[in-house]
Amino acid sequence: MELATVTAAAAGTWKLGDLEVNRLGFGAMRLTGNGMRGNSDGAPIDRELAIGILRSAVEHGVNHIDTAAFYFSPLRSANELINRALAPYSDGLVIVTKVGPGRDPSGEWLSMTRPEQLRGQVEENLRQLGRDHLDVVNLRWGRWTGGLSIAEHFGALAELREAGLVRHLGLSGVTPEHLSDAQAIAPVVCVQNSYSLDRRLADANGLLESCRQQDIAFVPFFAISGQRREAPADDTHDDRLHEVARAQSATPAQVRLAWTLHRGPNVLAIPGTSNPAHLAENIAAGALRLSQADMSRLDALT
């Protein structure tokens, strides 16, 4: 496979509301040199290299970029890098951000944002990205929300959507019950959860199937790193994964991405990287076509 000749369009397309995107996108978190939990082992990559990676991604057909105002390290902000690299933004480029958790300027995590504070988080993303509205905003939920109801927070975002600050709404880190509660308030165009070959909670709890039935985009994060989360992907893999990769003349990471995209036409991928070579490989993974035998072999991995 000639990496330079493959674009993100090879993965096919899906719509986030009325916004059509290629199913192979890009996650900007790794460009900051810092995971959400602040667990980076070193300094971020050179700023101009990060800007070059973003521009290269778009030049090769990526039109779905995932980011957040809380993706930052002492030296880098994902939103600032996106603004510097890609503004003025081309028509058709969809930038998806998220709100809910917050970090203070030193990077320390704050308690869960109150519903009335979500407008400030949306406006922070608008300022950093240099936009007059946000294409898609995901409400990031999770264990830090405790016993809170998602309805009040999602309702506050629905009001911002009505006000024109946000075009579409999504969810992140949720259960099928959260999705149902949110859908009763306003349309949900995407659900972004951790999902990979070795982490398939969305299969077990029915979330992936629920998204499929409702034509909602399911957008896995950590599709390559799996249980390692923000840490670099492991370079050791199951022998069966290696066998599929060799048969496809691909890397194990590419097969992981291809498996993700083969989980359904509504399943997208947003792999992030700070390595230009890995960017090309990730985009090329969208062109891999796995057989049913390949999928069965991969599905059997745990």
Side-chain angles (χ1 to χ4, degrees):
M1 185 188 306
E2 290 293 332
L3 301 185
T5 65
V6 179
T7 72
T13 64
W14 188 261
K15 283 190 173 182
L16 302 176
D18 62 344
L19 303 173
E20 187 170 30
V21 296
N22 291 325
R23 293 173 62 218
L24 199 294
F26 181 81
M29 181 180 70
R30 293 189 186 280
L31 294 181
T32 69
N34 199 302
M36 272 185 59
R37 296 184 177 180
N39 60 355
S40 174
D41 291 327
I45 62 172
D46 177 80
R47 185 170 182 274
E48 292 306 312
L49 178 58
I51 289 170
I53 287 173
L54 284 163
R55 289 175 175 167
S56 179
V58 172
E59 288 167 1
H60 288 85
V62 170
N63 57 6
H64 169 204
I65 294 179
D66 175 76
T67 186
F70 52 77
Y71 287 173
F72 68 87
S73 69
L75 296 178
R76 300 283 183 270
S77 157
N79 282 352
E80 185 275 330
L81 290 170
I82 291 169
N83 191 340
R84 175 67 180 86
L86 303 177
Y89 302 104
S90 60
D91 293 340
L93 178 64
V94 176
I95 299 177
V96 178
T97 187
K98 57 187 71 65
V99 296
R103 296 168 71 188
D104 67 23
S106 69
E108 291 296 319
W109 287 100
L110 305 172
S111 58
M112 179 61 182
T113 301
R114 299 190 303 274
E116 64 270 21
Q117 295 175 310
L118 291 174
R119 183 183 183 109
Q121 288 194 343
V122 166
E123 291 176 342
E124 182 180 17
N125 279 283
L126 288 170
R127 284 191 298 273
Q128 292 177 358
L129 291 167
R131 304 289 299 269
D132 59 6
H133 76 279
L134 298 176
D135 297 322
V136 182
V137 172
N138 290 325
L139 175 62
R140 182 82 173 101
W141 212 245
R143 58 185 174 276
W144 55 80
T145 56
L148 295 175
S149 167
I150 200 170
E152 192 173 359
H153 286 75
F154 199 75
L157 286 183
E159 292 177 2
L160 298 180
R161 176 176 172 267
E162 291 297 321
L165 276 70
V166 178
R167 190 163 183 170
H168 296 296
L169 299 177
L171 297 168
S172 179
V174 295
T175 66
E177 292 74 24
H178 293 139
L179 174 58
S180 179
D181 290 346
Q183 281 280 71
I185 297 169
V188 175
V189 303
C190 59
V191 171
Q192 189 184 104
N193 271 36
S194 178
Y195 183 76
S196 64
L197 263 175
D198 48 6
R199 184 176 173 81
R200 305 186 206 173
L201 179 59
D203 289 336
N205 66 14
L207 181 60
L208 180 56
E209 177 62 17
S210 181
C211 288
R212 185 194 66 78
Q213 291 179 355
Q214 299 178 72
D215 287 333
I216 296 171
F218 184 74
V219 190
F221 54 84
F222 303 142
I224 296 177
S225 59
Q227 300 282 17
R228 293 175 63 83
R229 297 177 59 83
E230 292 97 340
D234 199 344
D235 60 2
T236 61
H237 302 278
D238 188 283
D239 287 344
R240 291 166 290 182
L241 176 55
H242 277 292
E243 289 170 3
V244 174
R246 283 194 295 269
Q248 290 281 346
S249 298
T251 68
Q254 287 179 310
V255 172
R256 282 177 172 267
L257 282 177
W259 176 87
T260 301
L261 294 169
H262 279 63
R263 296 298 289 162
N266 66 313
V267 180
L268 281 56
I270 48 169
T273 184
S274 58
N275 184 316
H278 289 168
L279 171 66
E281 290 176 356
N282 290 345
I283 292 173
L288 291 181
R289 298 296 179 258
L290 301 178
S291 68
Q292 187 56 53
D294 291 333
M295 289 298 292
S296 296
R297 176 163 252 185
L298 295 170
D299 287 344
L301 300 180
T302 57

